[in-house]
Amino acid sequence: MFTYQRASLSLLVLISMFYSSAAKAQNPISVTGKILTTERSVPLEYVSVKLFLLPDSSFLKGVFTNPEGKFELMAQPGKYFIELSLAQYENEKTESFELKPGQVNFHFGTLRMQLSKTQNVKEIVVKGQKDIMQAGIDKKVYNVSEDLNVNGGTANDILNRLPSVEVDQDGGVLLRGQGSVTILIDGRPSSLSGSSGKTLLDALPANSIERVEIVTNPSAKYDPDGSSGIINIVLKKNKLLGFNGMVSTNLATGNLKGGNVGEGTASLSYRNGNVNVFGTYTARYLEGYRNNYNDIRQDLSTGTFILDQNRTGTDLDAGQTFRFGTDINLNPRNTLGFVATGSLTRRDRTGDLWNAELNEQNEITNLWQRTSLDPTNRRNLDINLNYKHDFKAERGNFIFDVNQSLGTEWIEGYYKNFYYNPDSSLANLPVLDQQLFNTEKNNITTAQADLTYLFPSLGLRTEAGLKAILRDQLVDTYSQTLNQTTGIYQEDTLANFLYGYKEQIFSAYGVVGKQVNRFKIQGGLRIEKAYQIPNLISDSIRIVNDYFNFFPSAHLRYEIKPKSELSLSYSRRIKRASAGELNPFTNYSDPYNLQRGNPYLNPEFIHSFDFAYSLEKKKLTVSSALFYRSANDVISRFKEFYPNNTSAVTYLNIAQTKSLGAELILMMKPINGLRTTVSYNGNYTWYYSNDSLIPNRQGFNHNVKWNTSYEFWKKTATVQLSVNYNGPRVTVQGIAQRKGPVDLAFEKKLANGNWTIGTRVTDIFNRQGFYFIVDRPGIYQTGEFKWLTRRVYVSAVYKFGKLEISNKGKQMSGDGGGAEL
C-alpha cells in the first residue's frame, strides 16, 4: 500500500512539472476595455465580460468590471468574441476579433451598454430569476431557492423532486430506477450522506442548500461508485459584497392532533476583495406520525401461515445545523478556503404494533401487542480545507482538498410484548420487556489533488489527479431483558455484538479532451486499489476484500448548431457493499422481521452507456437521453422466510441485471412570467438470478414530475404547483411504489425585496406513501407505509445588507459555494 501511494505521488509530481514547463511555452495576450452607459457615459461596475472562442463559440473565461468600468482578460492567439451582460441593461456582443502570435495587447477602447427598454429606471432592486432546473447534456442542476415547495423541508424532500430520483421509506436513494447512487456533500463523501445504505439527509435543512447536481455518466475524473451516477448537494456560500444577513422562519401544522413544525434560520456574511467570511445556523422541530401494515402468507408443509401486522406510531424529527467558513485570496492566483458544517439531531419514534397469526379460515390463533420507543441522537461534523492555484494565462488550475467527516449515532430501543387470547382478552403470560443500546461511529477522511491544464492552440484539455478515501466505522450494540423474578435486566440475544468496518480506496486518474471542429472528444482512465474489511470483533472474524480495478470513460459530443448538441458516453462503474450490507449480526428489534448483512458480498460492476440530445431556445429547452446499463454480481436486497414463521432482510449477489431506458426533460417559457418544467423517466429492467429461490424477473418502471410557476403583481408575487408521480417499480422479489404528492405554494416580496412572505400546502390529496409486494413461490407479502405529509406552512424571510454580487475582477465560476462537478 505504501509503495502504491509513493508511486501515485511521484506520478502527480511528474505531471505537475510537465504542465508547469508547458505553461511557459507561450506568452498570453492582454485583452482590455472600458464599459460606459450609453446615456451619460457613466462607468459600469460588475458587468459580466465573457470571452468565447471561435468557430465553435465555446466559453473560455470571464471577469467582472472594476469600479472604473475597466476589465482585462488574458488569452492565447486565436479568434474570439465577447459578450457583456448586467442586470437592467441590454446584453451586448462584440464583433469577432483575432489575437496574433507575438501580439502583446488588444484594446477595445470604450464599449457602451444601454438600459433595458422594459426596465423601469426608478427600480433599484432587481432579482434575476433562475430556472428551477437547468438541464445540460451531461449534467442537470436543480436550483433549490427557485422551488417554493421545499421551504421548511429537508434534503430528502429536495431529492424527491429531482427528475428520475426517488427516496424510499428507509432513506435509500434511487436514480433512474436503480438504488445505487453516490451522494456527495460539496463534492465530497460525508457522514451526512449515510453509512449503512441509507442517507441521513433528513438532518440537512432544504434552506441550507444552494443547488443539487446530477451526473448520470461521469468521466474518469470522478469516483466510479454508483451504478446510476452521482448526486452532489452543494451547500450555500456567500456571494455578496460587504456585510449581509438573512433571517427566516417556517411554521406549519399537520392536523388538529399535532404534527406541528417550527424552523428558523439566521445567516451572516462579510466579503471584501480578499476575504469572505460566512456563517449559518438553522434549528428545526417537526412532529408527525409513521404507520405501516404487513400481511404475510406463507405455504408450509403444515398448511398456510398468515401473519397480519398493523403499526401506528409517532415520529419526532428535531435538530440544529450550522455552517461556518472563510475564503482568503492570498493573491490573484492563490486562494485558501476553510468550511465546517455540523449538525445535532434527534429522532424519536414510538410504535404500537399489533400482531395476529391466523389459520386458513382467517381465524386468529395467536395475538400479541409490541410497544416500542426508539430515541435516536446524531452528531455530525465535516471539516474541509482547500487550496487553489490558477496558472498564468488562464491555462488551468491546481486544487488540493482535504476533508474530515465525523459522525456518531446513539440509538436506544425500549420494547414490551403483551400477550392476548384470540378473543382479545389479556392472556396470563408474563410481559416481555427488552432494551437495546446501539452506538455507531463513522470517520471518513478524504484527500485529493486535481490538476487541470489547457492547450488553447491545440484545442486540448487535460486533467489528472490523485485521491484517497479512508472510512472507519464501529458499531457497538448491547441488549438486555427484564428478569420477571428478580426485576433485574440481564444480557440477552436480542442484539449483542461489536462490529468494525474499514474501507481504503486509493486512486489516480487522467483525462484528455480534444475539440475538432464541431466534435468534442474526451477519454479517461481511473485506476484504483481498494480494501474493504468487515471485522466481526465479537466472533473474532476479520474478512479482507482486496481488489485492483480500471475504470475507463469516453465521451463524444457533436454540436449540430449553437446550443444544440448530441453526445454519446460510456463509463465502467462499481457498486461496493456498504458497511451495513456487510454487517452479518442480526437485528432482532422486530422478532418477525429480522435484518442482517452478508460479509461475503462481492462488488458489483456496471457498464453504462448514454446517448443524449439537448436543445436550448429562448422559450424551450429540451434535454433527452437513451441509456443502457449492464451489471454483474448485482448486490440485491433479499427477504428470507423461515419455517418458524419469521423472516429476515439480507443481501446477496445475483447474476446480472440489464436496464434500457429513456429520459426527457422539457423546460418551457411560453409567456412572460410563466415557467414550466416537465420530466419523464422510464426504463425496462431484466433481473437474472443464479439462485433457485429467486426467479428471473423483468418489468417497466417510470415516473413523471411536473413543476410550473407564474410571476405576477409586477413580478413581486409567485404561485407554484408541483406534481410527482412514481409508477410501480419492479424489484428482485416483487414490486414497490412510492406515491408522489401534489404541492401548492405562494410567495410575495415586499419592501423592495427585503421581505418575503409565503405559504404552501404539501401533499394536498394526502396520498404520499410507500407500497410493496413480495411475490415468490410459496410466499406472498403486501406492505404499506404512511407518514404525515399533508401540512400547511407559513414563512417569512428578511434580508439586509448590500445585496450586490461580488467576484469583481475575478474569473467567473459556477454559481454557489461548494465544490462543483
Side-chain angles (χ1 to χ4, degrees):
M1 188 187 312
F2 178 69
T3 302
Y4 176 82
Q5 294 178 59
R6 290 184 59 188
S8 300
L9 182 59
S10 300
L11 175 63
L12 182 61
V13 172
L14 289 173
I15 294 173
S16 300
M17 293 174 62
F18 168 74
Y19 285 151
S20 297
S21 299
K24 301 176 182 178
Q26 297 186 36
N27 292 322
I29 301 169
S30 172
V31 179
T32 58
K34 184 175 183 177
I35 302 175
L36 306 176
T37 61
T38 301
E39 293 78 9
R40 294 185 296 171
S41 297
V42 176
L44 286 174
E45 187 180 6
Y46 303 124
V47 175
S48 167
V49 183
K50 295 182 179 180
L51 181 68
F52 294 86
L53 177 66
L54 291 171
D56 64 344
S57 300
S58 58
F59 171 68
L60 287 185
K61 65 189 70 175
V63 296
F64 291 90
T65 55
N66 64 17
E68 298 175 352
K70 296 180 179 180
F71 68 89
E72 181 179 16
L73 288 161
M74 306 299 292
Q76 295 295 324
K79 292 184 178 181
Y80 304 90
F81 71 88
I82 281 177
E83 282 189 356
L84 309 177
S85 61
L86 180 65
Q88 304 178 349
Y89 286 83
E90 299 284 354
N91 292 345
E92 303 288 347
K93 183 162 65 174
T94 69
E95 298 291 334
S96 62
F97 62 95
E98 183 175 4
L99 304 180
K100 298 180 179 180
Q103 189 174 357
V104 177
N105 178 267
F106 182 92
H107 186 58
F108 268 104
T110 299
L111 301 173
R112 297 184 181 273
M113 297 185 70
Q114 183 177 0
L115 277 169
S116 172
K117 295 181 176 62
T118 60
Q119 178 64 47
N120 185 345
V121 178
K122 294 182 180 180
E123 292 180 359
I124 297 176
V125 178
V126 176
K127 182 180 184 295
Q129 183 182 18
K130 299 178 184 177
D131 292 324
I132 289 178
M133 177 62 61
Q134 295 172 306
I137 203 163
D138 60 347
K139 180 173 69 173
K140 300 167 186 64
V141 179
Y142 173 84
N143 295 303
V144 176
S145 61
E146 302 301 327
D147 192 343
L148 309 183
N149 278 308
V150 297
N151 286 338
T154 69
N156 277 339
D157 296 317
I158 293 173
L159 293 181
N160 268 315
R161 306 181 72 81
L162 302 181
S164 309
V165 176
E166 294 179 52
V167 181
D168 65 24
Q169 80 281 6
D170 295 322
V173 180
L174 294 86
L175 176 59
R176 287 182 170 178
Q178 296 291 318
S180 173
V181 57
T182 298
I183 305 291
L184 303 176
I185 308 293
D186 284 339
R188 310 168 190 96
S190 167
S191 59
L192 278 174
S193 58
S195 59
S196 301
K198 63 178 181 179
T199 70
L200 304 179
L201 297 175
D202 54 355
L204 194 60
N207 289 341
S208 68
I209 299 172
E210 174 78 20
R211 67 182 185 274
V212 180
E213 302 168 339
I214 308 172
V215 185
T216 51
N217 211 18
S219 73
K221 177 178 180 179
Y222 305 106
D223 294 331
D225 299 80
S227 61
S228 301
I230 297 171
I231 295 178
N232 182 37
I233 298 174
V234 181
L235 302 181
K236 288 181 178 178
K237 189 176 181 180
N238 176 46
K239 298 182 292 180
L240 304 175
L241 281 175
F243 180 75
N244 298 276
M246 184 271 291
V247 179
S248 69
T249 184
N250 276 281
L251 301 174
T253 185
N255 53 50
L256 297 178
K257 297 180 181 180
N260 297 318
V261 176
E263 180 185 87
T265 299
S267 64
L268 293 172
S269 64
Y270 174 77
R271 184 168 193 161
N272 59 27
N274 296 316
V275 177
N276 176 29
V277 181
F278 55 92
T280 301
Y281 172 80
T282 298
R284 185 169 182 268
Y285 180 91
L286 185 149
E287 296 176 346
Y289 64 79
R290 186 176 178 87
N291 303 334
N292 68 277
Y293 84 85
N294 279 287
D295 182 81
I296 303 173
R297 295 176 180 264
Q298 183 175 5
D299 294 332
L300 303 172
S301 58
T302 56
T304 300
F305 165 76
I306 302 174
L307 175 64
D308 182 69
Q309 295 182 303
N310 283 277
R311 179 189 183 277
T312 58
T314 63
D315 190 358
L316 171 64
D317 187 356
Q320 305 171 72
T321 303
F322 72 87
R323 180 171 169 84
F324 169 80
T326 182
D327 295 318
I328 302 173
N329 295 323
L330 304 175
N331 55 48
R333 292 203 307 273
N334 293 277
T335 304
L336 187 66
F338 168 81
V339 179
T341 304
S343 66
L344 298 171
T345 62
R346 169 188 168 196
R347 192 75 179 260
D348 292 350
R349 288 177 173 174
T350 66
D352 186 4
L353 174 64
W354 283 89
N355 304 269
E357 292 183 7
L358 300 92
N359 58 25
E360 296 182 26
Q361 289 74 42
N362 282 327
E363 298 172 335
I364 296 177
T365 59
N366 198 5
L367 180 66
W368 74 100
Q369 176 192 23
R370 185 175 178 84
T371 63
S372 62
L373 169 62
D374 297 283
T376 299
N377 289 279
R378 301 172 186 151
R379 182 178 63 201
N380 295 280
L381 177 64
D382 287 6
I383 300 174
N384 174 260
L385 184 66
N386 57 82
Y387 167 76
K388 179 181 179 183
H389 171 75
D390 293 318
F391 295 130
K392 292 181 178 180
E394 309 292 346
R395 284 295 191 92
N397 56 58
F398 171 78
I399 299 174
F400 183 72
D401 188 289
V402 178
N403 193 78
Q404 182 68 51
S405 183
L406 303 170
T408 303
E409 185 175 33
W410 296 271
I411 302 174
E412 299 176 15
Y414 302 92
Y415 311 104
K416 289 183 179 181
N417 281 13
F418 301 90
Y419 301 95
Y420 294 82
N421 297 311
D423 62 359
S424 299
S425 61
L426 189 63
N428 188 23
L429 293 172
V431 174
L432 177 64
D433 188 340
Q434 297 174 309
Q435 297 180 350
L436 180 145
F437 305 93
N438 175 284
T439 301
E440 179 178 319
K441 295 183 179 181
N442 290 282
N443 186 341
I444 306 173
T445 303
T446 306
Q448 65 184 88
D450 299 288
L451 197 62
T452 301
Y453 196 78
L454 309 178
F455 297 88
S457 59
L458 301 176
L460 198 66
R461 177 187 179 93
T462 58
E463 298 173 292
L466 297 173
K467 187 171 186 178
I469 303 176
L470 307 177
R471 303 176 191 265
D472 195 351
Q473 182 188 59
L474 184 66
V475 181
D476 188 358
T477 299
Y478 174 80
S479 64
Q480 58 188 16
T481 299
L482 180 66
N483 185 313
Q484 297 292 339
T485 303
T486 64
I488 299 174
Y489 285 96
Q490 297 176 340
E491 182 177 346
D492 61 16
T493 59
L494 177 67
N496 278 283
F497 60 83
L498 184 61
Y499 170 70
Y501 173 75
K502 291 184 181 295
E503 183 178 273
Q504 300 173 357
I505 303 173
F506 305 98
S507 58
Y509 73 87
V511 179
V512 177
K514 170 72 175 177
Q515 182 166 332
V516 181
N517 297 323
R518 294 187 177 184
F519 286 94
K520 297 178 182 179
I521 307 167
Q522 184 191 85
L525 178 65
R526 191 178 191 95
I527 57 175
E528 181 184 273
K529 179 67 172 177
Y531 303 87
Q532 284 188 293
I533 309 171
N535 187 1
L536 289 61
I537 301 173
S538 302
D539 294 345
S540 301
I541 299 175
R542 185 173 183 268
I543 303 169
V544 179
N545 300 311
D546 175 359
Y547 43 92
F548 182 81
N549 284 291
F550 295 85
F551 298 97
S553 69
H555 292 71
L556 174 65
R557 294 191 191 183
Y558 175 71
E559 184 182 48
I560 302 172
K561 57 183 179 180
K563 297 186 178 182
S564 177
E565 281 189 334
L566 287 169
S567 79
L568 180 64
S569 63
Y570 163 78
S571 67
R572 183 174 187 254
R573 309 193 59 75
I574 186 174
K575 177 187 176 183
R576 284 175 258 266
S578 69
E581 292 168 340
L582 293 169
N583 183 353
F585 292 108
T586 302
N587 184 337
Y588 290 92
S589 58
D590 182 349
Y592 275 80
N593 294 280
L594 312 177
Q595 297 183 33
R596 70 168 65 94
N598 178 3
Y600 299 100
L601 288 173
N602 295 319
E604 171 185 337
F605 291 96
I606 305 100
H607 297 280
S608 178
F609 299 85
D610 263 44
F611 178 66
Y613 169 73
S614 70
L615 171 67
E616 185 177 344
K617 296 286 188 180
K618 184 176 181 180
K619 294 187 176 182
L620 174 67
T621 298
V622 179
S623 175
S624 60
L626 296 174
F627 57 88
Y628 173 77
R629 290 189 300 261
S630 175
N632 298 315
D633 281 335
V634 178
I635 299 173
S636 300
R637 182 185 175 109
F638 177 72
K639 192 161 190 176
E640 300 174 325
F641 293 86
Y642 307 117
N644 65 352
N645 302 332
T646 63
S647 64
V649 172
T650 186
Y651 303 88
L652 50 76
N653 292 103
I654 67 172
Q656 189 181 47
T657 64
K658 295 182 179 180
S659 180
L660 177 65
E663 183 181 69
L664 176 65
I665 300 175
L666 301 176
M667 289 168 287
M668 298 165 283
K669 306 173 187 176
I671 60 175
N672 187 30
L674 180 64
R675 297 166 181 255
T676 297
T677 299
V678 181
S679 68
Y680 172 81
N681 175 76
N683 63 289
Y684 198 88
T685 303
W686 295 262
Y687 295 96
Y688 300 99
S689 173
N690 48 12
D691 192 314
S692 60
L693 295 177
I694 308 176
N696 295 342
R697 299 180 63 88
Q698 57 183 288
F700 185 70
N701 315 315
H702 67 287
N703 62 60
V704 180
K705 301 189 178 183
W706 180 55
N707 187 296
T708 188
S709 64
Y710 180 67
E711 283 186 317
F712 59 100
W713 209 335
K714 296 182 179 180
K715 293 189 176 183
T716 63
T718 304
V719 63
Q720 186 179 93
L721 179 67
S722 301
V723 181
N724 289 356
Y725 171 76
N726 300 312
R729 173 171 48 86
V730 176
T731 66
V732 173
Q733 290 184 288
I735 64 170
Q737 181 182 15
R738 181 185 176 105
K739 300 175 182 178
V742 175
D743 303 330
L744 180 66
F746 169 79
E747 182 181 88
K748 177 69 173 75
K749 293 179 173 58
L750 305 169
N752 290 330
N754 289 332
W755 279 95
T756 302
I757 58 173
T759 184
R760 68 184 181 105
V761 182
T762 60
D763 196 14
I764 296 173
F765 302 107
N766 198 31
R767 64 181 305 273
Q768 186 174 1
F770 184 82
Y771 175 77
F772 73 92
I773 294 176
V774 175
D775 186 7
R776 45 178 275 200
I779 302 290
Y780 188 82
Q781 177 185 3
T782 60
E784 185 171 358
F785 291 81
K786 184 70 181 82
W787 54 97
L788 181 55
T789 53
R790 182 163 58 186
R791 301 178 189 271
V792 179
Y793 288 80
V794 292
S795 62
V797 179
Y798 174 66
K799 299 178 181 179
F800 57 92
K802 184 180 180 182
L803 304 180
E804 294 179 350
I805 297 295
S806 63
N807 290 334
K808 145 177 95 169
K810 293 288 179 184
Q811 181 181 351
M812 295 168 61
S813 60
D815 292 335
E820 182 179 16
L821 296 182

